[in-house]
Amino acid sequence: MVTGTVFCDQCKDGQRSLLDYPVNGAKVSLSCADSNGQITMSREETTNMFGSYIMRFDGAPDLGGCSAIVSGSGQGSMDCGEGAGPAQNPRLMFRMFDMEMYTVDPLLAQPAQPMQFCSRSSDSNPVPPPVSPPKSPPQFNLPPMPGLPPLPPLPPLPPLPPLPPVIFAEASACSSEKWTMPEYKCYWRGVNQDTKVAVAFGMVAARRYGTDITLWKGLQGRGDPYRTLSREGITALFNSYNTLQFSYHPIGVVEHMNEALMGSTRSVLLTALRFKRSNSGAGNVTCKFTPCK
């Protein structure tokens, strides 16, 4: 099994930054070649709403000579698929019985042109040579136009629906209790109460929690280290989506949670406590929620 994530390289600089976001609907191709350069195996998958993809193979093939690259875009990619960043090679994370799990470093999809807010060097925007102004045509006067009757007043526009709250530019950290309050439901971004934990966190979480448990149910988790990890991990994921200055990047939350689930119970408990500390603001960051209108 091979897992990875695709980000939109908005500035087309070939690097991942805070301006880049996970791409939904990107097509990822994995190709394997022999010593003569002949393709022996290939597979293509499409990313989900979190920019993640999973490729499954029968048996345990050796993927050491394979490479993955963004091969196209589909519905939901928001025009970020005209180009692709460099290919990445799968890395073996672990081998257990007849199953091997590989991970691919983040892949980059690129728009047709860099976004306007991206900084550009002076070389990329050379100053055009001065152009002599064109000669103006001879002037002539038009006859006066007859006056038009006044337009009737326009009816008042209907009120606009309330906009979702913007992402906090300042640091904000909210506990799991805050995320379950109905007056703060407008801060749920990209997911809803029925989104599955397996969709948000991948196959490792699916093996532990099953494929039916939802994020809403996971927020209620209490009683043992694994339920505590699900509660604090989901809370950390929500916080990372709502502020640019949270302790974890969204992908970092997923990676830390999966690493903990593949480790010991002590590792699960320590990761849950670290998430909880970040979700509580570590003593110097407060929750910036205001009740939804």
Side-chain angles (χ1 to χ4, degrees), residues 130-174:
V131 179
S132 58
K135 296 182 179 180
S136 58
Q139 296 183 354
F140 58 92
N141 297 323
L142 294 174
M145 297 290 292
L148 297 176
L151 295 175
L154 295 175
L157 295 175
L160 294 175
L163 295 175
V166 297
I167 296 177
F168 296 121
E170 57 185 331
S172 174
C174 302

Side-chain angles (χ1 to χ4, degrees), residues 116-198:
Q116 294 182 355
F117 52 75
C118 298
S119 60
R120 300 178 180 177
S121 64
S122 59
D123 293 337
S124 61
N125 283 324
V127 178
V131 179
S132 58
K135 296 182 179 180
S136 58
Q139 296 183 354
F140 58 92
N141 297 323
L142 294 174
M145 297 290 292
L148 297 176
L151 295 175
L154 295 175
L157 295 175
L160 294 175
L163 295 175
V166 297
I167 296 177
F168 296 121
E170 57 185 331
S172 174
C174 302
S175 64
S176 58
E177 290 79 8
K178 293 279 189 181
W179 284 103
T180 57
M181 293 182 179
E183 59 265 34
Y184 300 137
K185 287 298 177 61
C186 59
Y187 290 94
W188 286 52
R189 299 178 184 277
V191 294
N192 55 48
Q193 294 185 7
D194 297 326
T195 300
K196 307 298 184 184
V197 172

Side-chain angles (χ1 to χ4, degrees), residues 197-215:
V197 172
V199 173
F201 290 94
M203 291 299 298
V204 177
R207 285 198 296 270
R208 164 56 60 177
Y209 300 109
T211 57
D212 294 329
I213 185 172
T214 63
L215 295 180

Side-chain angles (χ1 to χ4, degrees), residues 30-43 57 61-67:
L30 180 75
S31 301
C32 305
D34 56 18
S35 57
N36 297 322
Q38 298 295 321
I39 301 298
T40 59
M41 180 175 58
S42 64
R43 185 68 56 85
F57 298 86
D62 181 13
L63 304 181
C66 303
S67 62

